[in-house]
Amino acid sequence: MQIPVEGFMYPNEVELQWSVLIVLYPFITGLVAGAFILASLERVFRVQAVKPTYRLALLTALSFLLVAPLPLQLHLGHPERSLEMYLTPHRSSAMAMFGFVYLWYLMAVLLLEIWLDYRYEIVLRSQTESGWKGLVYRALTLGSSNVSERSLHIDERLGYFITLIGIPSAFLLHGYVGFIFGSIKANPWWSSPLMPIVFVFSAMVSGIAAVMLLYMLSTRLRGKQIDMRCLDTIAQYLMYTFIIDFSLEMLDLLQRIYEADESFRSLDFMVHTRLWKSQVIIQILLGTVTPIALLGLTQVLKFSDMARKRIYALSGCLTMIGIFAMRWNVVIGGQLFSKSFLGYTSYKMSFATREGLLTAIALMILPFVILWVLVKLLPPWPESEHLSGSAAAPAHGTS
Amino acid sequence: MDISRRRLLVLLPAAAVAWKFVLAGTPDAAPNYKLSEHWWAMLIDIPKCIGCGSCVRACAEENDVPEGYYRTWIERYHVADWKIERPEVESPNGGKQGFPAHAEDGGKNFFVPKLCNHCVDSPCTQVCPVGATFVTPDGVVLVDKSYCLGCRYCVQACPYGCRFLNPKTNTAEKCTLCYHRIVKGLTTACCEVCPTGARQLADLKNPKDPIHEFLRTHTVQVLKPHMATGAKVFYNGMDGSVR
Amino acid sequence: MSSIIAAWKNLGYQRALRNFGRRTRRAGIGSHLFKDIEHLVRLAAVMAIALVAFVLLRAAVVPHSFGQYGHYRGAAIGEVASRPIAFAGHETCEACHTDVVEQKKLGKHVVVACEACHGALAKHADDPSSVHPKKLDTAVVCARCHEANSAKPKGFPQVATADHSGGLACDTCHQPHRPKIETEKTETAKMVTEGKK
């Protein structure tokens, strides 16, 4: 265990406990919450412009939510015991309670909403498709093939209600992850009442950017025309959310610098040395200031459709990198300094081990594989909706 | 409500067994030991510590502590002049082989043995998602090896850095205050071998315990009091520079 | 009185049903409500089954002693307490090695536990004839306590071993159980170390 230590660290602190997989986990749940908030923009806040991305956002959220427990399972010393969290949850533990928040969000919000929204297509396909696909659709109908106008109307009303409670549920899902870190008084880099809020806003930013990029990519792959009004609206929401997120993070930083408490010298040194590249260069300059500036430019100056698309794509990619860097700086950064404030260690990320870089890359690719399967099963494209029979299926957003 | 019915299903068979145990409060292995009659703590007398490392070695031998991990360790402090906010600290291999020869260099120099503080309001217990780490009725914080998930949330939550993940069992581990010894009337391994009496076990429920008397009559401190963990390892003669 | 309440409740129920009937008729569909929410009822049934399965699983799998003293497996206390002991404790050693006890009483090492130097010997205490303690290398063992270090208390006996003994094992001159050297021995010790130099 030859990990170079600078200064003094408590002997048991030298080896990092939470690896890149634990960086991945808040990143993934953040995408879930953010994608769902984007979907709710249309459903609850009647922002008609983003309707083309509604179903895609929901499926994206589901793909990532299904992958979310995997980095945790791979990290555990005894993953075979993980059911204990549901059987004997320790009510004072944020981690234990999160198991139920996750379950609630998966079952009562996301799966239910997707099922209700797609039920007409599911019933139709269960009657027309054959083979294993038909089997899947028939199972999804739960044996009920009623698609009368009133049943669909009930579905729509219920779906609205679920999205309504889904918004605070999405905030709870990712705010909770923030609380898991923010409630640790032993670690001054994490301990902050702002942590859940910063996590929620950065989650929204990453989720919106992810759906925006996926929408652009999938439309391009299908050879269709991008709805610019939709894209412009999404980019606008991305910018405003990002400004709020950045302000919160800067507020935390400014307060720390001003108050300069016991931990400040040590943390300041850490940011200036070990976290310089990942925090100042990648997260702040490249990953936050640049996208905000680019998006701000599109609001102030007039660009052609092609130019705007390129700017949005660039901003989206930089945003995703920036938010990942933020998770890295929180999780890894919080373990690089000693709780004695007298020293630092290093993170030696392995490559092909259970908690290595290769595993992290595989876990990031997996949601897109799942999304591909979901998109084949339940096409989210606007033109597919016409197949459902516009007369029978009431449009969203109408009471 | 669902929850109370579920609890009853689990507690009813346990209640019959528990009744006997609650009254007697004894772990199977020590039939004469009553949990409710003890409240364990420790006193570390810093001016007496000579940094020999006997405690670290004894603990490792008594408890099969893997190499490179420490249930207890010793830190050597050097404080130049009045600068108590900038001490120089070292702990070569946790102090296991003692410390190398060191000539006089002015300033304050002393050793600080550290271990789990067996906190009353233990933050590690608070964050454990499944109840694998807990405070016993006699005040010792233990880990249930067969229940721990190895999530390491407790390691993050401990302000003192006394927990680690045992790579052989893949569960969290830390000082148990030699629970298997103290329930049988022995003292902890570290206190047994300490040649100067710098480490002494204390039972705060024992009226005749000399350490209890010491705590009442001397100026003692705990580590990181601002964390309000209810730490029960008390330090006599501790300098303000100690982290 | 109760019959009046019952009748009133019945009236309210009938009124609600009539209103609902009016509303559904206004919607233009005459089908029963149940048929239109059948899929939701099925979903609720699936969830109820899952919940029951969970409760049964929990009753079967959660360890019996869980919750005995608090939110943990009560049996764990016993498990930790039943770990085998490695250090016998000086009282056990003193029961047999009375000669050493007498010798130690005369010197400063009376406060030092036997196993502090000799290591964990519970196995030897259990079976003295077959388990023999290892011979100690005093050059290593004694230096751990007595090597001069500015962090050691000033009154504590400490030497810079390189200058003090020139690399000789400490038990050349010192008897570890009664470490203070008598006067003639001190002269001999001085001659030995000076001779070496």
Side-chain angles (χ1 to χ4, degrees):
Chain A
M1 201 182 34
Q2 286 306 307
I3 302 173
V5 173
E6 195 185 323
F8 169 73
M9 286 199 92
Y10 298 139
N12 291 323
E13 275 186 320
V14 177
E15 194 184 310
L16 259 71
Q17 299 297 326
W18 283 351
S19 64
V20 66
L21 293 190
I22 307 299
V23 173
L24 212 56
Y25 171 71
F27 186 63
I28 292 177
T29 50
L31 291 172
V32 172
F36 186 85
I37 297 299
L38 182 62
S40 69
L41 271 180
E42 190 272 318
R43 195 73 190 261
V44 173
F45 299 105
R46 316 288 165 82
V47 181
Q48 282 288 358
V50 301
K51 189 160 184 310
T53 56
Y54 174 72
R55 280 182 163 184
L56 181 64
L58 286 181
L59 292 185
T60 307
L62 182 61
S63 316
F64 280 98
L65 194 63
L66 289 174
V67 173
L70 288 180
L72 300 178
Q73 291 295 303
L74 286 165
H75 158 77
L76 285 179
H78 286 273
E80 76 279 7
R81 295 179 189 167
S82 45
L83 203 58
E84 287 171 7
M85 276 220 270
Y86 287 106
L87 298 175
T88 58
H90 194 189
R91 280 191 301 278
S92 68
S93 167
M95 197 181 276
M97 292 299 100
F98 182 76
F100 291 96
V101 172
Y102 173 87
L103 203 62
W104 160 262
Y105 190 80
L106 179 66
M107 300 300 201
V109 176
L110 201 52
L111 281 179
L112 196 54
E113 176 156 345
I114 292 176
W115 186 66
L116 288 172
D117 195 65
Y118 272 100
R119 206 175 66 85
Y120 186 86
E121 283 94 333
I122 291 173
V123 170
L124 228 61
R125 284 175 185 235
S126 70
Q127 287 158 358
T128 55
E129 295 275 353
S130 56
W132 70 267
K133 251 189 164 181
L135 211 66
V136 171
Y137 288 119
R138 275 196 296 280
L140 285 174
T141 63
L142 293 184
S144 163
S145 58
N146 183 0
V147 285
S148 66
E149 191 181 321
R150 191 157 66 133
S151 72
L152 294 175
H153 180 75
I154 291 171
D155 285 351
E156 200 269 319
R157 287 285 78 209
L158 191 58
Y160 175 84
F161 179 67
I162 286 170
T163 315
L164 205 57
I165 57 171
I167 296 168
S169 301
F171 283 141
L172 190 64
L173 182 81
H174 201 62
Y176 224 111
V177 179
F179 184 72
I180 284 176
F181 291 97
S183 59
I184 299 297
K185 64 184 171 188
N187 193 322
W189 190 235
W190 293 345
S191 174
S192 164
L194 270 180
M195 200 58 118
I197 313 205
V198 167
F199 263 63
V200 164
F201 276 94
S202 54
M204 285 180 7
V205 166
S206 63
I208 294 173
V211 176
M212 182 178 82
L213 287 170
L214 279 169
Y215 173 63
M216 290 174 74
L217 188 65
S218 58
T219 316
R220 185 91 175 274
L221 285 174
R222 284 166 45 236
K224 303 277 186 220
Q225 190 76 344
I226 289 180
D227 181 343
M228 282 315 290
R229 187 171 144 246
C230 173
L231 203 60
D232 287 332
T233 314
I234 294 177
Q236 231 179 9
Y237 277 104
L238 177 61
M239 188 189 76
Y240 290 127
T241 318
F242 220 160
I243 288 174
I244 298 174
D245 177 42
F246 188 56
S247 311
L248 287 167
E249 286 175 25
M250 288 300 107
L251 180 66
D252 178 73
L253 189 67
L254 284 170
Q255 181 126 348
R256 273 182 203 271
I257 295 172
Y258 187 87
E259 286 190 0
D261 72 358
E262 188 187 13
S263 62
F264 179 70
R265 271 186 73 241
S266 179
L267 295 176
D268 185 46
F269 185 78
M270 180 179 70
V271 171
H272 277 95
T273 55
R274 280 149 202 270
L275 287 186
W276 182 257
K277 272 197 292 249
S278 59
Q279 178 141 30
V280 179
I281 306 294
I282 299 180
Q283 181 190 331
I284 297 181
L285 287 177
L286 275 178
T288 310
V289 172
T290 310
I292 290 179
L294 286 173
L295 292 170
L297 270 178
T298 64
Q299 299 296 307
V300 172
L301 299 172
K302 213 157 169 47
F303 290 101
S304 67
D305 280 3
M306 178 56 82
R308 281 203 324 281
K309 273 188 244 179
R310 293 219 174 99
I311 291 176
Y312 294 156
L314 180 63
S315 305
C317 291
L318 288 176
T319 303
M320 299 291 280
I321 294 170
I323 301 297
F324 182 82
M326 183 258 183
R327 307 308 190 220
W328 177 278
N329 293 320
V330 169
V331 176
I332 303 296
Q335 301 173 85
L336 287 180
F337 69 98
S338 169
K339 294 192 177 79
S340 68
F341 309 131
L342 293 172
Y344 308 91
T345 182
S346 333
Y347 177 39
K348 294 270 171 270
M349 182 164 55
S350 52
F351 186 69
T353 61
R354 190 157 73 129
E355 293 199 70
L357 183 61
L358 195 61
T359 315
I361 292 173
L363 285 173
M364 271 313 294
I365 294 175
L366 187 58
F368 296 101
V369 174
I370 296 177
L371 183 62
W372 184 81
V373 172
L374 286 176
V375 157
K376 286 268 171 284
L377 266 178
L378 305 168
W381 318 122
E383 57 272 17
S384 314
E385 269 185 78
H386 294 167
L387 288 170
S388 64
S390 40
H396 296 149
T398 57
S399 35
Chain B
M1 241 180 91
D2 272 29
I3 294 169
S4 53
R5 226 177 285 137
R6 239 180 282 156
R7 287 203 112 195
L8 214 56
L9 277 169
V10 171
L11 282 177
L12 272 174
V17 181
W19 184 240
K20 184 180 82 182
F21 273 95
V22 164
L23 284 183
T26 56
D28 290 331
N32 298 322
Y33 180 85
K34 285 192 170 36
L35 287 167
S36 51
E37 286 177 358
H38 302 272
W39 190 242
W40 298 106
M42 192 180 276
L43 173 71
I44 309 253
D45 205 333
I46 291 193
K48 288 189 180 162
C49 179
I50 58 171
C52 62
S54 305
C55 50
V56 185
R57 289 190 301 278
C59 171
E61 203 173 342
E62 178 73 44
N63 296 293
D64 272 327
V65 183
E67 193 61 47
Y69 298 94
Y70 309 88
R71 287 193 179 196
T72 185
W73 68 95
I74 307 171
E75 296 171 6
R76 183 190 186 282
Y77 277 72
H78 168 72
V79 183
D81 206 358
W82 47 267
K83 300 195 174 85
I84 64 169
E85 281 192 14
R86 315 259 172 104
E88 278 165 38
V89 188
E90 59 165 5
S91 186
N93 195 15
K96 205 169 185 180
Q97 308 308 327
F99 287 78
H102 202 292
E104 279 298 330
D105 55 6
K108 282 186 292 197
N109 300 287
F110 51 91
F111 295 105
V112 182
K114 290 207 180 159
L115 66 159
C116 166
N117 289 273
H118 294 282
C119 307
V120 178
D121 300 313
S122 153
C124 64
T125 305
Q126 184 187 24
V127 302
C128 176
V130 298
T133 193
F134 51 92
V135 186
T136 62
D138 46 356
V140 180
V141 180
L142 296 176
V143 179
D144 184 352
K145 251 191 342 203
S146 61
Y147 214 66
C148 174
L149 301 179
C151 72
R152 305 168 221 209
Y153 202 15
C154 59
V155 181
Q156 302 288 3
C158 174
Y160 307 108
C162 71
R163 298 181 75 110
F164 58 91
L165 193 89
N166 186 322
K168 295 201 196 92
T169 61
N170 278 326
T171 54
E173 191 173 296
K174 65 174 195 70
C175 159
T176 57
L177 213 61
C178 280
Y179 197 71
H180 59 292
R181 295 177 62 88
I182 64 181
V183 300
K184 292 174 186 149
L186 299 167
T187 189
T188 65
C190 57
C191 293
E192 171 71 30
V193 302
C194 177
T196 58
R199 296 175 82 128
Q200 292 189 75
L201 185 67
D203 184 353
L204 300 177
K205 270 194 177 168
N206 180 359
K208 295 202 220 86
D209 189 316
I211 309 302
H212 198 173
E213 182 59 30
F214 188 97
L215 293 175
R216 277 197 282 254
T217 54
H218 290 74
T219 319
V220 292
Q221 292 190 57
V222 292
L223 293 173
K224 304 203 186 196
H226 57 281
M227 291 278 170
T229 55
K232 289 206 265 73
V233 172
F234 298 94
Y235 287 82
N236 181 43
M238 185 169 89
D239 189 58
S241 59
V242 174
R243 307 298 185 90
Chain C
M1 188 65 187
S2 54
S3 53
I4 298 171
I5 296 171
W8 181 77
K9 275 193 189 155
N10 210 23
L11 206 65
Y13 176 75
Q14 284 179 0
R15 196 184 303 136
L17 205 62
R18 233 180 293 130
N19 285 340
F20 189 76
R22 257 188 235 126
R23 256 185 269 129
T24 54
R25 254 171 278 144
R26 230 180 265 138
I29 313 290
S31 50
H32 288 297
L33 177 67
F34 179 74
K35 198 147 166 273
D36 288 329
I37 60 166
E38 190 200 348
H39 57 290
L40 296 173
V41 172
R42 282 170 180 262
L43 182 67
V46 168
M47 292 200 155
I49 292 169
L51 190 63
V52 169
F54 176 75
V55 173
L56 291 173
L57 175 73
R58 198 172 178 276
V61 168
V62 172
H64 289 306
S65 68
F66 203 96
Q68 186 177 359
Y69 301 109
H71 192 92
Y72 54 97
R73 225 171 38 94
I77 296 183
E79 283 166 24
V80 175
S82 56
R83 201 200 149 75
I85 291 179
F87 282 81
H90 63 96
E91 278 141 0
T92 308
C93 312
E94 287 162 7
C96 290
H97 297 274
T98 47
D99 51 337
V100 179
V101 175
E102 291 311 310
Q103 210 181 10
K104 277 174 76 183
K105 271 197 198 144
L106 303 168
K108 287 276 174 75
H109 277 185
V110 63
V111 293
V112 181
C114 318
E115 288 162 306
C117 301
H118 290 282
L121 287 168
K123 286 208 181 93
H124 168 75
D126 284 338
D127 192 357
S129 44
S130 24
V131 181
H132 298 292
K134 275 203 316 232
K135 184 107 177 48
L136 298 173
D137 179 4
T138 51
V140 173
V141 175
C142 307
R144 284 189 193 132
C145 290
H146 294 286
E147 187 68 64
N149 189 306
S150 54
K152 292 188 181 172
K154 295 293 169 281
F156 185 78
Q158 46 190 295
V159 291
T161 50
D163 301 328
H164 175 83
S165 64
L168 276 179
C170 312
D171 59 353
T172 312
C173 306
H174 295 275
Q175 167 28 279
H177 295 141
R178 191 187 165 194
K180 186 169 176 156
I181 300 176
E182 302 313 307
T183 336
E184 334 79 77
K185 275 216 185 138
T186 320
E187 300 296 321
T188 321
K190 277 207 192 124
M191 280 190 329
V192 170
T193 45
E194 270 152 31
K196 274 260 165 179
K197 282 184 200 154

